[in-house]
Amino acid sequence: MSLDKEKIKHVAKLARISVDEAKVESLTKDLNSIFKFIEQLNELNTDKVEPLTSILNHSLRSRKDEISDGKIREKILKNSPKANEEFFVVPKVVE
Amino acid sequence: MTDITNQSLNEIIENVKTKKVSSTDLTKAYIKNIESAKKLNAFVTTTFEHALAKAKQFDNKPNFDQLLPGIPLAVKDLFCTENTKTTAGSNILNNFIPSYESTVTKNLWDSGSFLLGKLNCDEFAMGSSNETSHYGNVINPVGDKLVPGGSSGGSSSALAADLTPATIGTDTGGSIRQPASFTGTVGLKPTYGLCSRWGIVAFASSLDQAGPMTKTIKDCAIMLEAMSGFDEKDSTSINKKKDQYSKNLKDNIKGLKIGIPKEYRVDNMPKEVDELWEKGKKILKDLGAQLIDISLPHTKYALPTYYIVAPAEASSNLARYDGVRYGYRSTQGKDLIEMYEKTRSEGFGDEVKRRILIGTYVLSSGYYDAYYLKAQKVRQLIKKDFDDSFKKIDAILTPSTPSSAFKIGEKTNDPVSMYLNDIFTVPVNLAGLPALSMPAGVDKQSHPLGLQLIGKALDEQKILNIGYAFEKNCGFKNEIKKWWS
């Protein structure tokens, strides 16, 4: 299969990455060569193989659902590109 | 006085313990080295004041019983360090100052060491040459036109240039072992789950592991001992007692069975790599190990599998960079969605964007079974190859990389040729196994080459022991001229 420019623009939309029109061409070429490489896997018959979902022999641990941290709003907001005193600020969503 | 930095970590620790050198003098010596090595571009951030204060604190009240007493260490800029900028080599994190410390670095500091600075790396650890970093190329001390490998390229460069006595990297598909091989140093990727992933900027969560990069095998054992251990905060952390790798290091490998996989002899591999592999086999055989031919039939499918699994996980992990809670935010974009799109477009570099797009595509509706599910099935086959082989052998010996360090710019226009560099390292990550790259020789151009030892899950001690015996009998010496200072 091959990826065309429209498909790539659609995937970029899903990934929330804007792609310059000028770069779509080279991106299409690169991604197609990567997918050609990936598709070697089609040589293998895997009908009877179970997918590997975890590399660990044990299942993931669960912990008690209780608060272990908190009251660090100031610290957390410090890294925000835009914040008022209490909240993260984003561009207006609702008019 | 001889150069106090041109020694192994183990020797440096001895010198501190016997008071031949103070932590302060040691730290000052590294700062001097770092300041005269700006050409290598190994550092993104330095924390000299912090290091000198910690060194002074140590000298005033030394504790010599610790594993890393008064030792300054630089670490890959993928580990979150409290109150010190952590970029992951990306523009999108150019102003991110974590309010917490990664477990692995915390373990190092709790062992008596302290932070000297943060080391350059490929953006989000996606790369094999350190050329995807937003903070510029890193130069290999071996030669001024050579890449240091990647993604832990700042780590390998700084280590080989005596800018840190030891360091740590992360390895998702070879990012510790390949740069170690390119710089004539030792690098270990531990068993998945041995070192906590908590506080490490995530790339592909089912493959990522932190590990040591050092000058010698003994140093590697010391660092692994210091950084590893169970951590409640990482749900995939293995709950087991901490091993004393350095104390238990032995060079007797008599009777061990070493597997030699025929699939690791690939087309167009330079003759020197093959010769070096032969040399490695001979050394181990002379030490009393038994060589056994094995087959890992699905080896050639490891890279295609990796380039589905890793981007898929990355696309999910990197969804968090939205310009809202931390990191870079674009000033363009008139609404929320456009702000996201512009932020991510301006914040991520080309390779990261490529991989997010691959990952998004292989997980998208209608393609999931054909790509992601298929890859998970082949991953099962690759793991089974190793499981079957390890029923009859103790460890596997292979080359670490199909070539020595290549030139800057040589592979940047062809992503697949760059990916092929990890052909020998990637299978191990897919199977969650430990593997060590150790320097073994040089090619015609005098560029270092490494050999890889792969062990069973949690068999780090055994591959360290084999490496230790190998190192004593290999006669490799890293001859790096300090042309940059």
Side-chain angles (χ1 to χ4, degrees), chain B residues 96-107:
Chain B
F96 175 56
I97 298 174
S99 58
Y100 50 87
E101 187 76 34
S102 83
T103 299
V104 158
T105 46
K106 183 177 184 298
N107 289 346

Side-chain angles (χ1 to χ4, degrees), chain A residues 6-24:
Chain A
E6 287 313 305
K7 187 98 218 165
I8 284 173
K9 283 190 204 161
H10 172 67
V11 175
K13 195 88 195 158
L14 291 176
R16 297 277 186 263
I17 294 176
S18 71
V19 181
D20 292 347
E21 198 57 43
K23 279 196 170 175
V24 179

Side-chain angles (χ1 to χ4, degrees), chain B residues 39 48 51 53 77 87 176 184 192 222 256 326 349 420 433 463 478:
Chain B
K39 274 184 205 156
F48 295 157
D77 206 12
T87 69
I176 286 174
Y192 183 78
I222 296 170
L256 288 187
Y326 43 79
L420 283 168
L433 302 173
I463 55 173
N478 211 1

Side-chain angles (χ1 to χ4, degrees), chain B residues 159-427:
Chain B
L159 175 66
D162 295 335
L163 311 184
T164 181
T167 184
I168 54 173
T170 58
D171 190 315
T172 306
S175 283
I176 286 174
R177 290 160 288 156
Q178 184 253 23
S181 178
F182 279 12
T183 52
T185 56
V186 176
L188 174 81
K189 184 206 91 75
T191 305
Y192 183 78
L194 189 72
C195 294
S196 170
R197 288 182 296 108
W198 196 82
I200 302 174
V201 176
F203 163 14
S205 304
S206 81
L207 303 162
D208 295 345
Q209 257 298 288
M213 299 173 75
T214 57
K215 289 179 184 166
T216 69
I217 298 285
K218 177 104 190 218
D219 292 359
C220 188
I222 296 170
M223 287 293 284
L224 183 64
E225 198 171 320
M227 71 194 284
S228 60
F230 173 65
D231 180 16
E232 263 184 1
K233 291 186 202 146
D234 173 0
S235 60
T236 58
S237 173
I238 298 171
N239 194 351
K240 68 185 276 286
K241 217 177 116 243
K242 218 170 157 76
D243 280 298
Q244 294 186 298
Y245 300 107
S246 55
K247 202 176 134 196
N248 296 331
L249 204 57
K250 287 184 192 73
D251 61 2
N252 183 357
I253 59 163
K254 222 172 232 159
L256 288 187
K257 295 186 175 113
I258 311 287
I260 309 295
K262 65 170 190 239
E263 290 80 6
Y264 280 61
R265 182 165 282 115
V266 296
D267 295 342
N268 304 325
M269 192 158 84
K271 211 173 85 209
E272 292 124 308
V273 176
D274 213 20
E275 284 167 3
L276 192 80
W277 197 10
E278 289 305 318
K279 176 184 154 190
K281 290 180 208 171
K282 187 173 182 305
I283 291 174
L284 296 184
K285 202 176 166 193
D286 289 348
L287 288 165
Q290 191 188 340
L291 303 179
I292 296 178
D293 288 326
I294 60 165
S295 173
L296 300 165
H298 296 92
T299 299
K300 75 173 259 210
Y301 300 107
L303 267 177
T305 301
Y306 178 85
Y307 276 97
I308 294 173
V309 173
E313 293 184 17
S315 74
S316 167
N317 272 329
L318 273 60
R320 72 189 70 178
Y321 302 102
D322 57 5
V324 175
R325 290 155 300 157
Y326 43 79
Y328 173 82
R329 179 192 286 197
S330 171
T331 52
Q332 310 292 310
K334 50 185 187 306
D335 57 21
L336 185 62
I337 300 288
E338 237 185 74
M339 187 277 280
Y340 289 151
E341 290 177 342
K342 296 283 180 199
T343 292
R344 290 164 63 80
S345 181
E346 293 162 24
F348 293 135
D350 286 345
E351 180 62 22
V352 172
K353 283 188 236 181
R354 251 195 311 260
R355 295 204 198 183
I356 291 175
L357 294 181
I358 296 169
T360 305
Y361 181 67
V362 299
L363 291 175
S364 65
S365 164
Y367 297 97
Y368 180 88
D369 285 2
Y371 292 108
Y372 191 67
L373 194 67
K374 179 87 186 179
Q376 282 186 310
K377 288 179 170 189
V378 181
R379 189 173 178 185
Q380 186 79 271
L381 295 173
I382 291 163
K383 182 173 182 293
K384 192 174 173 295
D385 283 354
F386 282 109
D387 289 346
D388 291 347
S389 285
F390 275 123
K391 284 178 191 148
K392 46 186 194 267
I393 53 167
D394 294 289
I396 297 171
L397 180 76
T398 77
S400 299
T401 52
S403 75
S404 66
F406 46 90
K407 287 198 179 71
I408 291 167
E410 193 179 318
K411 293 180 196 276
T412 36
N413 292 325
D414 181 359
V416 173
S417 83
M418 186 70 92
Y419 298 169
L420 283 168
N421 222 268
D422 294 334
I423 192 162
F424 299 145
T425 48
V426 151

